[in-house]
Amino acid sequence: MTEGLEETTRDLIGWTQAVLPGRAVVARSLSDRDCGEGVDLRLIGLAPQATPRAAAPPLTLTADYLVTVRAADPIIEQTGVIALMFAAMEHDEAEVALDRDALKLCADLDLPPGPGFVLRATVSIARRRAVARAALVRFPLRIDSGELGLLQGSVLGPDDTPVAGAVVRVEGVDRTAQTDAFGRFRLHGPVGGKGAPIRLNVRARGIEIDREVETGSPVILRLPLEI
């Protein structure tokens, strides 16, 4: 879970820097009372989400981040938070939480008041599978070990739109990865020899596909998502 939250926070920092280039973006703890110029991100709440009825669905929760913008120039401060809110309204994997008041949260946290809003992001991780007890071996056991390596690629939706938060799993081995904000994933470990075909399972937004791909070069996986 920690890895999923850390990745989400880092993705939000990168997204904020893309919307407001040149601004300082800092992830702060709730106990940190510092409020320098730039954009502050504070994780203020977590809530579990219902899992869909499927075989080993990913575990999902929502993470609320208090986003505040501060600058010596009030025009820069105000235009910055407006630009961030408009960008958040277009974000595929996050939304503006209308039930949270940023000014009240600043007061509750004993922070100087500043314009902002609460961004609600979705965090998903692959469910840990129960390990079945192996049966007794009555015949010679043959083990074919996969070659250690790296498999990387992207998950795309309609019109080659990157799909963030998709879970990519190598069938037959315990290897999973989650796509970043740009739809990219990386899988390390026994993922087959170079050029050898392997089967991947991809899940996102209730859609699941299986694809056979060849290792040795980045792969592109397309999900038939509804726009």
Side-chain angles (χ1 to χ4, degrees):
M1 185 66 68
T2 303
E3 294 178 357
L5 284 172
E6 179 180 352
E7 184 178 353
T8 298
T9 301
R10 293 186 185 278
D11 287 345
L12 286 178
I13 291 175
W15 168 80
T16 305
Q17 291 172 333
V19 176
L20 299 178
R23 304 282 184 94
V25 183
V26 181
R28 301 185 186 276
S29 67
L30 291 179
S31 61
D32 190 348
R33 298 295 181 263
D34 290 339
C35 296
E37 286 199 16
V39 182
D40 284 354
L41 300 176
R42 284 180 168 85
L43 179 65
I44 59 172
L46 296 169
Q49 299 298 294
T51 55
R53 292 192 174 185
L59 300 176
T60 305
L61 55 81
T62 57
D64 285 1
Y65 290 83
L66 174 60
V67 182
T68 54
V69 180
R70 292 179 174 82
D73 188 330
I75 300 299
I76 294 178
E77 185 178 82
Q78 294 164 16
T79 55
V81 74
I82 290 173
L84 277 176
M85 182 169 285
F86 274 128
M89 293 166 64
E90 295 180 337
H91 202 297
D92 291 334
E93 298 298 324
E95 61 180 354
V96 177
L98 302 179
D99 57 338
R100 309 296 292 268
D101 188 318
L103 287 178
K104 184 178 185 304
L105 287 168
C106 285
D108 293 342
L109 296 172
D110 196 23
L111 299 174
F117 57 94
V118 174
L119 187 67
R120 183 164 293 159
T122 300
V123 184
S124 297
I125 63 169
R127 183 188 296 269
R128 294 182 182 273
R129 295 178 175 234
V131 179
R133 183 181 295 274
L136 295 176
V137 178
R138 299 181 179 178
F139 302 97
L141 181 63
R142 175 184 175 183
I143 299 177
D144 294 325
S145 60
E147 180 180 335
L148 295 178
L150 169 67
L151 176 66
Q152 58 186 339
S154 302
V155 178
L156 305 176
D159 299 325
D160 287 345
T161 302
V163 178
V167 177
V168 182
R169 178 173 61 86
V170 180
E171 293 190 358
V173 296
D174 185 19
R175 287 291 179 272
T176 60
Q178 186 176 6
T179 57
D180 60 17
F182 302 99
R184 299 172 302 196
F185 68 89
R186 295 164 65 90
L187 282 161
H188 296 269
V191 292
K194 186 174 182 180
I198 61 172
R199 289 192 65 82
L200 297 179
N201 175 271
V202 187
R203 300 191 308 273
R205 305 181 197 174
I207 303 297
E208 182 173 350
I209 63 169
D210 293 314
R211 289 289 185 272
E212 187 173 277
V213 301
E214 291 187 358
T215 59
S217 61
V219 300
I220 302 295
L221 302 168
R222 288 183 167 81
L223 278 175
L225 300 175
E226 294 183 2
I227 300 177

